[in-house]
Amino acid sequence: MAQYDLETLRQLKRGELPFHLVHEMQSSHKDSDRFFKMLAIAQESVPWDDRILLPYAEHLYIVEKPDKSRVVKCDCGHEFGDYRRNWKLRALVYVRDTEEKINEIYPNMLGCDPEWMHLREYICPGCGTLLEVEAVPPGYPVVFDFQPDIDTFYEKWLKKPLNRE
């Protein structure tokens, strides 16, 4: 099992490693403390002190506040509220629902048909970062990607129960 030092993992997070090394890291068994190393790297990369419990998506984390509440938080510090509620409902949303809007990002004739599909762009109100894009039929409900069972993950998978006191 390969062990990777923190600097190599920082380079992985920043997208600075050559493809062959990324492929090797993704394909091989993970070192037993990789999750905690990546948490430490994520924690040092953000300007706030709330404890990161779980990376949720690129630029998004589930964090534990000093009062033990758990929220979805962006790199910039903007909070989207309780992690058990869909963070997208508190994001700025830009919907590409016309040919004109779709052609802003796709060359003519290569985009989707707006009568069949809309592109929803979810943007952080705090920093303007594009956080996610959904390609959905018109009128489709907002997708709730997943709701992790954080306590079970820490207790049963990581064998390190969280202190909830």
Side-chain angles (χ1 to χ4, degrees):
M1 177 177 351
Q3 291 279 333
Y4 295 99
D5 61 61
L6 282 175
E7 187 51 38
T8 301
L9 294 173
R10 283 184 191 99
Q11 291 174 322
L12 174 68
K13 183 172 178 4
R14 293 189 304 255
E16 297 172 349
L17 294 178
F19 174 78
H20 75 278
L21 185 53
V22 173
H23 183 264
E24 175 187 306
M25 292 172 87
Q26 290 176 329
S27 301
S28 63
H29 289 284
K30 309 302 178 264
D31 34 314
S32 61
D33 62 347
R34 173 85 57 92
F35 176 77
F36 294 106
K37 287 178 182 174
M38 295 307 291
L39 272 187
I41 290 166
Q43 193 74 61
E44 70 187 24
S45 72
V46 295
W48 33 265
D49 294 328
D50 293 330
R51 178 182 176 199
I52 296 174
L53 298 176
L54 195 67
Y56 193 67
E58 192 171 1
H59 305 290
L60 293 176
Y61 309 91
I62 297 176
V63 305
E64 185 174 71
K65 306 287 292 168
D67 66 1
K68 301 294 185 190
S69 64
R70 296 171 177 178
V71 300
V72 176
K73 192 167 190 168
C74 182
D75 287 332
C76 73
H78 180 82
E79 295 182 9
F80 290 89
D82 190 297
Y83 81 100
R84 295 167 293 186
R85 302 228 173 2
N86 196 340
W87 66 269
K88 295 174 190 174
L89 300 175
R90 293 186 166 194
L92 300 176
V93 183
Y94 182 73
V95 181
R96 294 187 186 273
D97 56 0
T98 66
E99 279 189 48
E100 180 181 63
K101 289 178 183 178
I102 292 167
N103 288 342
E104 290 172 355
I105 55 172
Y106 288 102
N108 196 24
M109 304 297 290
L110 292 180
C112 57
D113 180 339
E115 291 187 29
W116 287 81
M117 182 183 300
H118 290 172
L119 301 176
R120 295 186 196 135
E121 299 174 358
Y122 294 93
I123 301 159
C124 176
C127 63
T129 298
L130 178 63
L131 299 172
E132 187 167 326
V133 177
E134 290 178 346
V136 295
Y140 196 80
V142 175
V143 176
F144 193 166
D145 297 315
F146 77 107
Q147 183 181 348
D149 183 343
I150 296 169
D151 293 306
T152 298
F153 174 66
Y154 271 82
E155 184 177 333
K156 305 255 180 188
W157 286 76
L158 299 174
K159 307 290 188 227
K160 297 193 185 260
L162 290 168
N163 182 0
R164 294 287 292 166
E165 296 175 17

